[in-house]
Amino acid sequence: MTSLFRPYYIIQESEMAQPLDYNRRSRLKHVDQVFRSEIINIIPLTDMEKLFQLRILDGAERERFSFLPGQFVMVEVPGYGEIPISISSSPSHKGYIELCIRRAGVVTGILHKTRRGAVVGLRGPFGTHFPIERMRGNHILLIAGGLGLAPLRAPILNVIENRTDFHDVHILYGTRQPDMLLFNYQYEEWNRISDINLKVIVEQGDESWTGPVGLITDLLKKIRLEPLETYAIICGPPVMFKFVCAHLQREGIPMDRMFVSLERRMHCGMGKCCRCNIGSTYTCLSGPVFDYWTVMNLKEAI
Amino acid sequence: MKVDLNIDLHHLTRVEGHGNIHVQVKDGKIKQARWDVVETPRYFEVMLKGKHYTSAGILTARICGICSIGHCLASLRATEQAFGINITNKAAQLRLLAKHGETLQSHILHLFFLAAPDFLKVPSAIPLLDSHPDIVAAGLRLKALGNRICEVVGGRATHPVSLLVGGVARMPEGLDDLQYDLESAQDDLAAAAELFGTFDIPEFQRETEFVSLKGEEEYPWIGGRLVSSDGVDKAEHEYTVMTNEEVVENNTSKWCKLSRESFAVGALARFNNNHHLLHPQALEVATGLGLKPVCHNPFMNNVAQLVECVHVVHDAMRLVDALQGSDSEPTLVPVTPKAGEGISAVEVPRGILYHHYRYDEKGYITKANCVIPTTQNNANIHHTLRDLVAANAREGMTSEQLELLCSMLVRAYDPCVSCSVH
Amino acid sequence: MKYLGIEPKRPKVGVFDFTGCEGCELQLANKEETVPAFLQAIEVVDFREISSTSSDDYEVALIEGAITRDDEIRRLKEIRKHAKLLVALGSCACFGGVNRLKNGYDLDAVNQEVYGTEPKETLPTQAVKEVVSVDLEIPGCPVDKAEVERIVQHLIWDVPYQFPAYPVCFECKQRYTTCVFELGQLCLGPIARGGCHAPCPAGGSGCWGCRGPAADPNLEEFLQIAKDRGFKKREIKERLSFYGGFEDMP
Amino acid sequence: MLFKVLGKKEFTTFIELLLNDTEVIAPKQVGVDTSGKPLHQYLPVQAFTEIDLSYETTEYSAKTYFLPFRENLSTCSFLDMVWDRQIKYRVQPRAIIGLHACDINALLKLDKVLAGDRFPSPYYISRRKNTFIVGIDHDPCEGGFCQAVGADVVTHGFDLYLTDLEDRYFVAINSERGFNVLQRVKTREPTARDNNDYLDVRRRIAGQFKPLEVHNLPNLMDIEFESKVWKKWADKCLSCGSCAMVCPTCYCYGIEERVSMDNAESAKVKQLYSCQFLDFAMVAGGHNFRPDRETRLKYRYYHQHRGFVEAYEEPLCVGCYRCGRVCLAGINPTDIIGDLQTEYQE
Ligand SMILES: Cc1cc2nc3c(=O)[nH]c(=O)nc-3n(C[C@H](O)[C@H](O)[C@H](O)COP(=O)(O)OP(=O)(O)OC[C@H]3O[C@@H](n4cnc5c(N)ncnc54)[C@H](O)[C@@H]3O)c2cc1C
Ligand code: SF4
Ligand code: SF4
Ligand code: SF4
């Protein structure tokens, strides 16, 4: 007797033939495959953060990989775990991506121990992005606190590369101490570009610090805004963006012109594990980039 | 003749628990030859007081991490005796199977990982990983088998969870796999026998009284009459006649005696008293390794353990067979506590173990007593040590050599020191 | 073996036993299929129960057992001096374990009962952390070897290890075990720390809480549940005090 | 939909056919509770006699056959800097007999998240497509409120669906696979009497449910976000996750990766998790987005009766009441929803 049921092999089904493309939300089912990617360079930034340059090993996959500023990837170190990390490099940059990673736990701890040449897994990109297109022709405020510069660096680079599309561009960055500043080797470059206003502030200075001391909102107060023609992107810890957004709101910037990137625990990036839910909104699908109005409306968001 | 020897061994290694060996020979005269148990006392008998009957087995399992199943079974049996409960045949078979698992696990641990390094002249089994990987692998496989049996029946390898007053919680799953594993263990057992055949077991005889359970139709493990090779024969509840515990100086363990100044329990005692009930295959191994009853060489306890390993593997196969074909008889009978006294004797790897409880009508313990095999052996170890030193304190013997010999003697008893100071 | 370019360091480990059943030490030799790999990942420099080599040169000290005598206190303090990382292995070391049960009695009377006229030296049972500072506690009676392996791996990688935050109940459910409350027995599963894979309820005994309380246990509600189901105060108390892990709870 | 009538004897033959061919999961009695009521579980069965189709409910849902409590997602073998990944999806066909409407509806909801949507899960789809489902009608179970959440009837998501007409089964066929398998046994076309009897049974069942107001929940959840009801129930919560384990629709999970002791390989294991656990929303550095029981308990209801509705126009909960039954503390959806409604009315 022939058997009653024909096994269904998912990998042989026609849908599976499509190439891996997370951005186009393909119907592809092989979502657990990762791009094997090589760490091509490791650049220490501070005691806690390192910048990793990663190149997807497979040429065709590398060609196809594209992302928008604000999106994140899931980085897997097989055996240790998989974590969401915002892409810190410019979307126009093909060939490799940059991830700025703080040592915080198991996976990040192991990543900080790896050496150039090690291969990790990447899935993505996932999530929403900053609406750079919509921002064209407006004044831009790019504000980061602490590690918030990691997700903000992609829009910064994107804006710089397309500087003529925007009016005034302000980049404001604050950390607790001078030795916690990220990418400090780049400020010089960013500052030299005429017409970009970069300001850095720390909460506590040290002997060598000559810049301003205080909170990020102190920098904001010094900027004259045209609220209805301004877009703002704010990345940093919740307390920080709450204050900044409240300030900007008072200045008259509409809440749906301010964008923040939220952080939640994540295990899949694909709206399955539920760990990133805010209320019942998936941060990985509807976020991490939200406009401030949505954030205000999400119960338990901040 | 001028023989001066000194051994001052604190915390003998490769035994369970803390004990010291002190030997002093001056001018060929033994000044002292001592085996002192210095383990910290734990007072389980007191802790048992006021405990509910459901706690007793779980608590007493913690007397010993190696023979936890033995303690648990002795405890359950004592409670069942007190309440007048008869467990079903199936439960008895399951318990015996778990016991066999423990015997195998414990004996193999001792033979391969605690005793063998002496014969192979290394400080532990760790270097054997590189030098004798096959031996280590065979030992680990056999030990794993023992643990698997315990796990399947008892729910966990150490400190069982399925053995309850009234029987066994459930019929285990995975008996088929177990049968397969038991059958495949034959090669490793043969290899073990071959290995021990190559070992240089010291020639040393000391006339000893051996105490064990008395097998009627089967090699004895759980309950039954108590015998000694000097001819004492008592019922289970008369255990105090067999043990005569006394507190001694320098020792946190008590000492026991019967017809002589001390007696021995354990694999060799069981073998000497019950060899005729061993599985033929086990007897064959015994003969092959030169173990014949009545054997008075304490070092041969190692061989007796190996012989028992062969026996329990075969007996486990028989039990698994019987259990697989068995009917729907329950594994657990209802328990109603009542006031009373219960005494049980169980042969655990290191010898005969007694638990004795008195219960109030609500099922709480009012008095408890446990007599552990190593407690019974300690006096004998001590006295044998002296004779061993006397026989070897001759010209050419160095302190190091004698220390090794003494250590090997103590290890041969496979003492479970923390047990003995429960 | 090297992985991702990380050279695993091989920590020098000493294993030391105090008042206990040595069941936890025995676990180190259990889970036989990985014993060789385990012993290659660490360098055992002192482990009296299985080895005759001894040394003071260890980075990690695994302490088994509770502390119940003066000489043990001295020995433990000495070990603390040598060890970079001192680990309490098993419930005896973490909470005092079943040994703590004796603290409920007058020690002289206890001694009298067991040793008659020749009392032996003994102190009230203490957990290791009550005597010296402890860097890591691995609870369990006995410890779960798989968990020990994972913790050792995390030590080798030098990344933090997090114990499960969930109670035993969860693992029970994952094993398809019929709730032992349903069978009329008491169980500490709802408030005891998981990670053991719930052998006891599955085996038919109910959980005795050997791993101590779960993260943020709801003791109040648990007591209510136990009471509602007809369990007597004495029984509940006996259960909670069994391994000493719930000692600090109100 | 096609309908057929299957005699009871033929039904036995039919099940035996399945048993001979494939792994069969069915309701099986596993014991009795303290009050003597039989306890059932969906478990693998070897013989027709082990199956008890008259069961009221099971402690666990059949979810575990689609979303196992623990599932190995992939394994990696290492070689210094590089590694090689292997993924295996479960493809062995399996049949589940005797699912009630709520459990099939639960699968349909899981389909929406795990098989539809932007990133379908191959692990789930592979199990789902390889499972042959035979449902069965039954009288409401105690506590069940499936009718209120629209889960008491099911129109698709199964292969065959049985309605017991005493001496025969009325069979609804919903797949080609179901049709083909049924052809191996003798069936007949339904007569007018069969149809009538079938509709009678359906009517009888439908008439037995107790009402529970849920249609306003999405709104109510927002309005009652600060309600005292949450604290009242959360104070009882043991954070043990039992509710999520037995629920047919809870699908949250965590990932655990492990390296073998010899560093030669690793496994990525998915473990179903529960939003009631303390560390559910905890991130590195120790910040916890839901540190207290109240927000965690509220979240579960929020997800089921508001978030899911927002996304798919229907609640996630199918009203099987398993979470209510399993909870030692007596927390249950009917009382919580009832409390919310009462408070709202006041
Ligand atoms: C959208 C997004 C973008 C991020 N971008 C960056 C970045 O550019 N640079 C950076 O350094 N960090 C970033 N993070 C935070 C980063 O994901 C966590 O620091 C990281 O997950 C910690 O992992 P661990 O294994 O080292 O920590 P552990 O404490 O060991 O965490 C264990 C697991 O918990 C989960 N987890 C813990 N913390 C977080 C968290 N904060 N967010 C999400 N999951 C978490 C992960 O699954 C992790 O594997 C981002 C987080 C999100 C959600
Ligand atoms: S914790 Fe348990 S197993 Fe470990 S030593 Fe103590 S009594 Fe023995
Ligand atoms: S179930 Fe309870 S008693 Fe058993 S091992 Fe787990 S925590 Fe310990
Ligand atoms: S929430 Fe409760 S009632 Fe609803 S589907 Fe899940 S278990 Fe059933």
Side-chain angles (χ1 to χ4, degrees):
Chain A
M1 196 177 78
T2 57
S3 92
L4 294 175
F5 306 111
R6 188 171 53 90
Y8 172 95
Y9 291 98
I10 192 157
I11 23 183
Q12 284 164 10
E13 297 304 313
S14 56
E15 303 106 289
M16 302 307 296
Q18 291 175 31
L20 207 54
D21 187 344
Y22 289 88
N23 254 335
R24 252 166 262 139
R25 312 287 190 217
S26 64
R27 292 271 312 146
L28 182 104
K29 289 177 188 155
H30 224 144
V31 285
D32 218 66
Q33 285 296 9
V34 290
F35 301 126
R36 281 151 34 99
S37 311
E38 188 183 11
I39 299 179
I40 49 176
N41 279 304
I42 300 173
I43 303 155
L45 299 177
T46 70
D47 278 354
M48 295 295 285
E49 286 94 3
K50 280 182 179 175
L51 186 69
F52 294 83
Q53 294 180 329
L54 296 173
R55 182 176 63 191
I56 295 174
L57 286 176
D58 182 282
E61 285 174 350
R62 186 162 67 231
E63 266 315 293
R64 246 187 339 259
F65 185 89
S66 70
F67 69 95
L68 294 162
Q71 285 194 300
F72 66 93
V73 286
M74 294 297 291
V75 181
E76 184 181 6
V77 189
Y80 300 91
E82 199 174 17
I83 56 169
I85 298 290
S86 305
I87 305 174
S88 281
S89 49
S90 160
S92 64
H93 191 106
K94 291 271 169 190
Y96 65 85
I97 60 165
E98 293 180 328
L99 305 175
C100 165
I101 299 175
R102 169 178 290 180
R103 191 174 49 178
V106 177
V107 184
T108 50
I110 284 294
L111 274 168
H112 271 244
K113 287 209 172 60
T114 54
R115 283 194 296 122
R116 177 170 57 81
V119 174
V120 298
L122 281 189
R123 281 191 298 127
F126 293 115
T128 52
H129 54 90
F130 300 112
I132 302 287
E133 297 295 317
R134 255 204 282 155
M135 297 164 124
R136 284 173 207 274
N138 286 279
H139 304 297
I140 306 295
L141 277 175
L142 301 166
I143 306 171
L147 188 58
L149 193 57
L152 196 70
R153 189 161 167 264
I156 289 178
L157 295 173
N158 200 268
V159 164
I160 291 178
E161 284 163 11
N162 300 285
R163 183 64 191 84
T164 50
D165 293 351
F166 307 94
H167 285 146
D168 296 353
V169 174
H170 302 276
I171 303 174
L172 308 179
Y173 179 42
T175 58
R176 202 159 325 131
Q177 289 151 23
D179 60 0
M180 294 164 96
L181 289 167
L182 299 173
F183 301 106
N184 46 10
Y185 58 92
Q186 292 202 308
Y187 305 160
E188 165 88 5
E189 180 191 338
W190 293 347
N191 236 338
R192 284 221 183 167
I193 303 173
S194 51
D195 247 14
I196 283 190
N197 172 32
L198 171 76
K199 286 276 166 347
V200 181
I201 194 166
V202 296
E203 283 173 38
Q204 272 169 11
D206 58 18
E207 315 82 61
S208 61
W209 182 248
T210 54
V213 176
L215 295 174
I216 196 122
T217 35
D218 299 340
L219 294 179
L220 265 179
K221 286 177 194 146
K222 298 200 185 97
I223 296 173
R224 249 198 39 245
L225 291 169
E226 289 176 59
L228 296 179
E229 272 126 61
T230 301
Y231 272 98
I233 297 178
I234 305 105
C235 296
V239 270
M240 172 256 175
F241 73 67
K242 216 162 99 181
F243 272 106
V244 172
C245 290
H247 178 89
L248 296 177
Q249 204 193 335
R250 278 196 303 276
E251 296 285 316
I253 300 184
M255 282 198 273
D256 59 1
R257 284 175 158 247
M258 298 184 231
F259 293 89
V260 301
S261 178
L262 295 188
E263 201 177 293
R264 283 295 184 280
R265 187 171 179 131
M266 280 178 197
H267 285 290
C268 68
M270 304 188 290
K272 304 279 178 277
C273 76
C274 294
R275 304 298 283 268
C276 70
N277 273 202
I278 301 173
S280 46
T281 302
Y282 286 100
T283 310
C284 63
L285 296 178
S286 312
V289 174
F290 291 98
D291 65 34
Y292 193 54
W293 165 247
T294 311
V295 172
M296 294 292 286
N297 274 286
L298 285 176
K299 301 223 185 265
E300 57 167 46
I302 33 180
Chain B
M1 181 167 80
K2 188 169 160 43
V3 183
D4 284 343
L5 296 166
N6 259 311
I7 305 176
D8 188 11
L9 189 60
H10 264 263
H11 296 180
L12 174 66
T13 59
R14 280 186 281 126
V15 295
E16 199 278 359
H18 296 97
N20 301 340
I21 299 175
H22 296 289
V23 176
Q24 213 184 356
V25 180
K26 213 163 164 61
D27 286 342
K29 287 222 175 57
I30 302 178
K31 291 268 174 226
Q32 69 166 353
R34 310 196 49 84
W35 162 243
D36 292 339
V37 167
V38 295
E39 184 77 19
T40 45
R42 291 178 294 162
Y43 307 97
F44 267 87
E45 280 122 340
V46 177
M47 295 195 262
L48 275 164
K49 276 183 24 175
K51 293 287 170 298
H52 196 236
Y53 74 88
T54 49
S55 297
I58 296 180
L59 182 54
T60 49
R62 269 78 189 169
I63 291 177
C64 177
I66 299 181
C67 52
S68 55
I69 290 183
H71 274 284
C72 186
L73 291 178
S75 170
L76 300 181
R77 185 173 158 84
T79 302
E80 283 152 4
Q81 302 277 17
F83 296 171
I85 291 169
N86 286 317
I87 61 166
T88 62
N89 183 33
K90 197 193 255 178
Q93 286 176 333
L94 283 169
R95 285 183 179 183
L96 185 56
L97 182 57
K99 240 230 92 274
H100 285 349
E102 177 173 277
T103 305
L104 181 63
Q105 171 268 120
S106 170
H107 281 359
I108 293 293
L109 176 74
H110 176 247
L111 291 170
F112 278 79
F113 303 101
L114 309 183
D118 283 335
F119 297 105
L120 296 167
K121 313 222 164 2
V122 283
S124 80
I126 298 172
L128 299 180
L129 277 170
D130 293 326
S131 61
H132 297 72
D134 296 348
I135 294 178
V136 177
L140 285 174
R141 274 196 300 272
L142 286 169
K143 184 163 155 320
L145 172 64
N147 274 332
R148 201 150 48 245
I149 300 172
C150 300
E151 232 169 88
V152 167
V153 185
R156 179 162 69 182
T158 307
H159 298 329
V161 296
S162 308
L163 310 176
L164 308 178
V165 178
V168 177
R170 49 165 174 67
M171 190 63 193
E173 282 160 26
L175 287 177
D176 289 343
D177 293 346
L178 214 54
Q179 191 66 302
Y180 177 83
D181 293 342
L182 283 164
E183 279 160 19
S184 348
Q186 303 306 328
D187 288 349
D188 285 335
L189 283 172
E194 201 173 313
L195 175 70
F196 274 77
T198 65
F199 288 169
D200 220 350
I201 293 174
E203 274 304 327
F204 172 72
Q205 303 284 332
R206 181 175 177 271
E207 200 51 39
T208 310
E209 179 175 21
F210 292 102
V211 173
S212 75
L213 278 174
K214 181 179 178 188
E216 308 289 347
E217 275 145 34
E218 283 170 21
Y219 200 75
W221 296 106
I222 302 175
R225 288 191 74 82
L226 320 171
V227 285
S228 106
S229 52
D230 284 5
V232 187
D233 186 339
K234 294 283 171 203
E236 203 170 350
H237 65 264
E238 298 168 296
Y239 77 104
T240 44
V241 181
M242 304 295 279
T243 57
N244 305 300
E245 277 190 301
E246 58 173 339
V247 180
V248 288
E249 219 190 343
N250 290 335
N251 262 293
T252 45
S253 165
K254 296 175 190 173
W255 276 9
C256 295
K257 61 167 174 253
L258 184 54
S259 323
R260 314 174 183 210
E261 58 176 353
S262 66
F263 62 88
V265 298
L268 191 58
R270 283 191 292 265
F271 173 86
N272 281 337
N273 293 346
N274 299 286
H275 52 89
H276 57 290
L277 295 166
L278 280 167
H279 190 275
Q281 207 100 51
L283 268 179
E284 201 174 299
V285 171
T287 318
L289 293 172
L291 175 64
K292 282 188 290 292
V294 168
C295 171
H296 286 282
N297 178 356
F299 291 96
M300 286 302 269
N301 192 46
N302 288 317
V303 173
Q305 286 188 331
L306 186 60
V307 168
E308 286 194 339
C309 288
V310 178
H311 175 81
V312 295
V313 167
H314 280 97
D315 204 44
M317 290 199 274
R318 172 186 71 85
L319 287 168
V320 174
D321 242 357
L323 284 162
Q324 275 171 323
S326 71
D327 50 18
S328 57
E329 187 185 25
T331 57
L332 197 61
V333 296
V335 177
T336 338
K338 67 172 201 223
E341 213 160 318
I343 292 165
S344 76
V346 168
E347 283 286 356
V348 294
R350 288 156 194 77
I352 192 161
L353 164 71
Y354 308 98
H355 278 220
H356 174 187
Y357 307 145
R358 192 150 64 220
Y359 275 103
D360 69 11
E361 67 288 352
K362 289 212 180 87
Y364 286 94
I365 294 176
T366 56
K367 186 152 179 58
N369 187 30
C370 309
V371 187
I372 274 82
T374 301
T375 313
Q376 298 167 64
N377 271 336
N378 273 331
N380 204 55
I381 297 176
H382 177 84
H383 296 309
T384 312
L385 194 71
R386 172 177 284 266
D387 289 357
L388 183 73
V389 171
N392 286 280
R394 51 173 185 265
E395 209 133 9
M397 177 60 75
T398 65
S399 290
E400 290 71 37
Q401 282 169 332
L402 189 65
E403 179 174 320
L404 177 66
L405 201 58
C406 291
S407 303
M408 281 171 73
L409 174 76
V410 179
R411 279 186 204 119
Y413 280 87
D414 189 9
C416 195
V417 179
S418 18
C419 245
S420 69
V421 190
H422 46 286
Chain C
M1 201 182 78
K2 234 164 45 170
Y3 168 52
L4 293 179
I6 308 164
E7 191 78 61
K9 54 175 195 217
R10 199 165 165 230
K12 291 193 178 125
V13 177
V15 185
F16 305 94
D17 47 357
F18 290 80
T19 306
C21 76
E22 308 206 350
C24 290
E25 275 175 84
L26 188 67
Q27 296 312 303
L28 300 179
N30 276 359
K31 201 160 170 291
E32 291 79 2
E33 63 283 8
T34 57
V35 163
F38 184 73
L39 290 176
Q40 255 135 36
I42 59 175
E43 189 183 336
V44 177
V45 297
D46 197 326
F47 190 169
R48 195 198 46 79
E49 194 181 352
I50 66 155
S51 170
S52 301
T53 47
S54 135
S55 160
D56 286 339
D57 179 25
Y58 42 84
E59 296 150 279
V60 181
L62 302 180
I63 307 293
E64 185 211 63
I67 309 303
T68 67
R69 218 167 47 190
D70 258 338
D71 61 318
E72 291 192 322
I73 295 180
R74 287 195 299 276
R75 192 154 69 94
L76 182 60
K77 287 191 169 151
E78 197 55 37
I79 293 171
R80 177 69 270 191
K81 276 192 217 149
H82 296 285
K84 282 210 202 74
L85 195 95
L86 188 133
V87 183
L89 185 72
S91 301
C92 290
C94 293
F95 321 120
V98 291
N99 305 297
R100 226 192 178 89
L101 290 171
K102 92 171 185 218
N103 290 5
Y105 301 88
D106 173 56
L107 290 188
D108 290 337
V110 161
N111 241 321
Q112 167 83 36
E113 169 128 8
V114 177
Y115 291 104
T117 51
E118 283 189 65
K120 305 291 176 190
E121 187 198 341
T122 187
L123 291 174
T125 303
Q126 288 178 291
V128 172
K129 63 170 170 244
E130 293 171 85
V131 179
V132 295
S133 68
V134 170
D135 302 300
L136 180 71
E137 294 189 335
I138 310 179
C141 184
V143 292
D144 183 68
K145 175 70 180 301
E147 187 171 56
V148 175
E149 282 185 352
R150 290 204 74 195
I151 291 172
V152 165
Q153 285 183 320
H154 281 241
L155 284 181
I156 293 171
W157 304 330
D158 191 21
V159 291
Y161 178 80
Q162 218 110 47
F163 284 97
Y166 46 75
V168 170
C169 273
F170 171 59
E171 293 184 323
C172 229
K173 290 290 166 305
Q174 294 207 333
R175 282 184 77 154
Y176 248 71
T177 307
T178 304
C179 182
V180 295
F181 273 107
E182 219 48 69
L183 305 173
Q185 289 175 34
L186 184 61
C187 178
L188 295 189
I191 50 169
R193 172 190 272 160
C196 56
H197 305 291
C200 311
S205 326
C207 171
W208 293 67
C210 74
R211 293 166 62 87
D216 192 22
N218 194 343
L219 185 68
E220 215 171 299
E221 178 64 21
F222 173 78
L223 293 175
Q224 189 60 43
I225 291 169
K227 203 173 128 213
D228 291 348
R229 294 193 173 235
F231 295 103
K232 296 275 171 317
K233 231 185 173 145
R234 177 173 183 183
E235 206 173 334
I236 302 168
K237 206 168 154 240
E238 181 172 318
R239 194 62 75 90
L240 282 170
S241 61
F242 206 79
Y243 292 107
F246 292 83
E247 198 89 331
D248 305 334
M249 301 195 56
Chain D
M1 191 142 23
L2 287 178
F3 296 101
K4 294 268 192 223
V5 173
L6 184 64
K8 287 263 160 113
K9 241 178 60 216
E10 282 75 37
F11 178 68
T12 317
T13 319
F14 172 72
I15 297 293
E16 273 160 4
L17 204 66
L18 290 177
L19 281 166
N20 276 334
D21 188 75
T22 186
E23 182 187 358
V24 176
I25 312 293
K28 184 173 167 180
Q29 190 181 334
V30 291
V32 289
D33 69 5
T34 34
S35 62
K37 219 169 129 178
L39 295 169
H40 288 90
Q41 237 41 303
Y42 295 119
L43 289 174
V45 289
Q46 263 73 47
F48 180 76
T49 45
E50 290 177 44
I51 304 177
D52 181 4
L53 285 177
S54 64
Y55 77 109
E56 184 183 336
T57 182
T58 53
E59 184 188 5
Y60 290 80
S61 66
K63 167 176 80 176
T64 53
Y65 296 103
F66 303 91
L67 294 175
F69 291 133
R70 296 180 76 86
E71 182 176 24
N72 189 322
L73 297 184
S74 63
T75 43
C76 269
S77 30
F78 299 154
L79 213 89
D80 192 14
M81 296 294 220
V82 292
W83 39 267
D84 193 33
R85 175 181 297 258
Q86 299 88 34
I87 301 182
K88 273 206 201 91
Y89 305 115
R90 190 186 197 279
V91 288
Q92 298 92 296
R94 173 146 77 186
I96 305 191
I97 313 293
L99 286 191
H100 289 164
C102 59
D103 282 331
I104 297 174
N105 271 310
L107 289 175
L108 287 171
K109 288 169 202 272
L110 290 180
D111 288 350
K112 294 202 160 118
V113 183
L114 300 165
D117 224 339
R118 299 185 222 173
F119 301 106
S121 158
Y123 303 95
Y124 177 79
I125 297 175
S126 190
R127 285 169 184 269
R128 182 80 163 101
K129 293 233 178 188
N130 282 303
T131 308
F132 182 78
I133 293 179
V134 183
I136 188 164
D137 260 334
H138 72 117
D139 287 334
C141 62
E142 203 182 317
F145 55 100
C146 49
Q147 196 178 44
V149 285
D152 60 328
V153 282
V154 62
T155 51
H156 60 294
F158 53 83
D159 294 279
L160 301 173
Y161 198 82
L162 312 168
T163 304
D164 195 336
L165 303 181
E166 292 188 1
D167 56 342
R168 64 207 189 279
Y169 283 111
F170 193 83
V171 190
I173 305 168
N174 191 49
S175 71
E176 189 236 22
R177 184 168 57 171
F179 183 81
N180 282 340
V181 178
L182 203 59
Q183 276 197 329
R184 305 269 183 120
V185 290
K186 215 174 104 230
T187 56
R188 63 173 171 79
E189 295 300 317
T191 62
R193 210 191 110 220
D194 294 324
N195 286 336
N196 269 339
D197 287 357
Y198 166 65
L199 292 173
D200 275 351
V201 170
R202 308 262 10 187
R203 208 171 301 127
R204 192 196 71 223
I205 294 173
Q208 293 178 61
F209 287 96
K210 287 198 212 84
L212 182 75
E213 197 181 349
V214 297
H215 69 276
N216 61 348
L217 278 179
N219 240 312
L220 193 62
M221 292 273 161
D222 272 352
I223 295 169
E224 295 294 333
F225 196 76
E226 308 288 342
S227 165
K228 290 191 295 294
V229 171
W230 298 119
K231 178 154 178 6
K232 168 183 158 192
W233 289 100
D235 278 348
K236 297 167 77 60
C237 179
L238 298 158
S239 304
C240 71
S242 297
C243 49
M245 289 307 105
V246 299
C247 175
T249 63
C250 277
Y251 56 90
C252 329
Y253 65 85
I255 296 278
E256 250 177 32
E257 299 210 23
R258 290 191 177 186
V259 182
S260 65
M261 204 60 227
D262 58 3
N263 278 343
E265 56 189 19
S266 76
K268 183 175 180 184
V269 178
K270 166 180 163 184
Q271 181 183 34
L272 286 194
Y273 219 66
S274 162
C275 53
Q276 303 309 302
F277 296 151
L278 183 66
D279 64 348
F280 184 80
M282 185 125 92
V283 293
H287 184 72
N288 195 342
F289 289 95
R290 288 190 213 105
D292 47 88
R293 295 187 197 116
E294 187 181 340
T295 47
R296 294 201 296 271
L297 183 72
K298 181 160 63 182
Y299 166 74
R300 183 157 187 268
Y301 283 82
Y302 216 71
H303 184 192
Q304 290 179 327
H305 294 283
R306 184 186 177 284
F308 204 80
V309 183
E310 214 170 45
Y312 303 105
E313 317 290 341
E314 56 181 288
L316 180 57
C317 170
V318 294
C320 69
Y321 202 66
R322 286 193 177 94
C323 57
R325 246 171 257 126
V326 80
C327 183
L328 285 168
I331 304 172
N332 66 83
T334 26
D335 283 348
I336 292 187
I337 294 170
D339 274 3
L340 285 174
Q341 299 285 14
T342 317
E343 185 162 284
Y344 177 57
Q345 254 120 54
E346 280 160 11

